[in-house]
Amino acid sequence: MQQKSNKIDMTEGSVFFKLAAFSVPLIFSSVLQLLFNAADVIVVGRFAGKNALAAVGSTGSLINLLVNLFMGLSIGANVTAARFFGAGQKDRVSDTVHTSMVLSLFSGLLLTFAGVFLSKTILIWMDSPENVLDLSALYLRIYFGGIIPTIIYNFGSALLRAKGDTKRPLYFLFIAGIINVILNLFFVIVCRMSVAGVAIATVISQGIAAFLVVMCLVKETDEFHLDFSRLRVDFPIMTQIVKIGLPAGFQGIVFSLSNVIIQRAVNSFGDITVAGNSAAANIEGFVYIAMNGFSQGTLTFVSQNMGKQDFARIKKVTWVSLLTVFFIGFIFGNTVFLLGKILIGFYNTNPLVINEGVIRLKVICTTYALCGIMDVTGSIIRGMGHSVMPMAVSMLGACGSRILWIATIFKIPEFHSCFVIFLSYPISWFLTFAVHFIVFLFVYRKEKAVCKKRLEKL
């Protein structure tokens, strides 16, 4: 009875209420993940000073750059498992579970090596302020030294999401989040460990979350049961995971690369600007994950319905998701902007830092709805099994336009400011959404026609 309650059949019933039931716990899970970093930033900002705040806050874009490829593979695992689940192919779901967990372990090992040995080199390339370079490098070495549990957790939770279970990953992160905050305060205030303390706290708490999600899969009694003796790679399934996940991962990498370039431009304005930008970016992340939760929910919904070949429902999911995410981004984003000074004050009380942070919120948060609908359209296309096209569109529309903006407009002396840097975001979001939507219409019609011909042959 309990197993049944952890599943959501996304191929029948109300789209909005089931999407909300799936996405809201996912949003809270993402909030807790973001709170890992927020707790780091707030604790060091309050108790270790602005240099420590800048050191931890400025690592976000670099962490995303190195992690996103493997997070993309977890998306591939989610889509593959959801399609088999929607089609009722239990044996293939089980094979996907075991293949995914092996893949998560190898991904974690590769990421550990890359993060530990390349972080400082990339920080130097990013023109990280010299007075925080060593602190940033120390944080990253510890963070990536313990990255394997983070990757395992994300793969495990992606598999649970494939059947509609977003509640238990939320519970696991809640437990880990409480531990993270306690350890942050202990290591920084009591042990005086500063940046190293918050990094160690994050690694320990993520390890706990990974352990809980693995034990959850081990105790499953359905096709999502994890049996350590069956851990092996099914190469046809791994090919499907990689085919969907690798483009998603590369898209994330290129997005992060463009953000790294933007971070480099921001770094040129000094540590006060870096600290304000770091705090604002952390705050706006809460708005983003509210939209992204529904975007991930859309991905799983479309994947299950593709398994069932229900195109009418896919179309309905599309419109419900777009409207929902637009209103979430518009309302939450503008609310955060209006409360900007108060919110940034939680991170650092320096008026100069607060003012720099508000500049970013003014541009990003007031236009964040564009980012939400851009992500949703990409998720719909990916859920239909086409991952290369949204990757290509995002690379050119979102990332290419930002890089071009920094290389041209920002270089003009009259436009050499952080405000102009941040304008590249809403412009890139709108361009990418427009092309994504055209691609969706093409893919939808193509897949529907293929399905019709297949039925006619039967």
Side-chain angles (χ1 to χ4, degrees), residues 367-403:
T367 60
Y368 232 172
L370 294 174
C371 178
I373 59 177
M374 175 193 73
D375 282 349
V376 164
T377 48
S379 293
I380 294 165
I381 299 167
R382 192 167 288 114
M384 296 178 74
H386 296 262
S387 197
V388 174
M389 282 188 283
M391 175 196 72
V393 172
S394 295
M395 287 174 63
L396 293 173
C399 308
S401 63
R402 292 179 195 172
I403 295 172

Side-chain angles (χ1 to χ4, degrees), residues 276-385:
N277 180 74
S278 299
N282 198 272
I283 293 168
E284 75 193 30
F286 289 96
V287 181
Y288 175 76
I289 60 178
M291 299 185 295
N292 187 248
F294 278 88
S295 179
Q296 292 188 52
T298 302
L299 175 72
T300 306
F301 262 67
V302 172
S303 299
Q304 281 198 17
N305 283 284
M306 274 300 292
K308 196 175 180 180
Q309 299 287 283
D310 189 344
F311 289 93
R313 190 167 176 82
I314 290 173
K315 186 176 182 180
K316 187 174 182 179
V317 170
T318 297
W319 290 113
V320 169
S321 299
L322 285 172
L323 289 172
T324 301
V325 168
F326 180 84
F327 283 112
I328 288 174
F330 182 80
I331 294 171
F332 284 16
N334 282 278
T335 300
V336 165
F337 167 62
L338 292 174
L339 298 175
K341 289 188 176 181
I342 297 173
L343 295 174
I344 295 174
F346 285 114
Y347 293 77
N348 193 277
T349 56
N350 187 326
L352 296 177
V353 171
I354 293 173
N355 288 336
E356 291 293 335
V358 170
I359 292 174
R360 179 180 176 110
L361 295 180
K362 182 178 182 179
V363 179
I364 303 296
C365 286
T366 57
T367 60
Y368 232 172
L370 294 174
C371 178
I373 59 177
M374 175 193 73
D375 282 349
V376 164
T377 48
S379 293
I380 294 165
I381 299 167
R382 192 167 288 114
M384 296 178 74

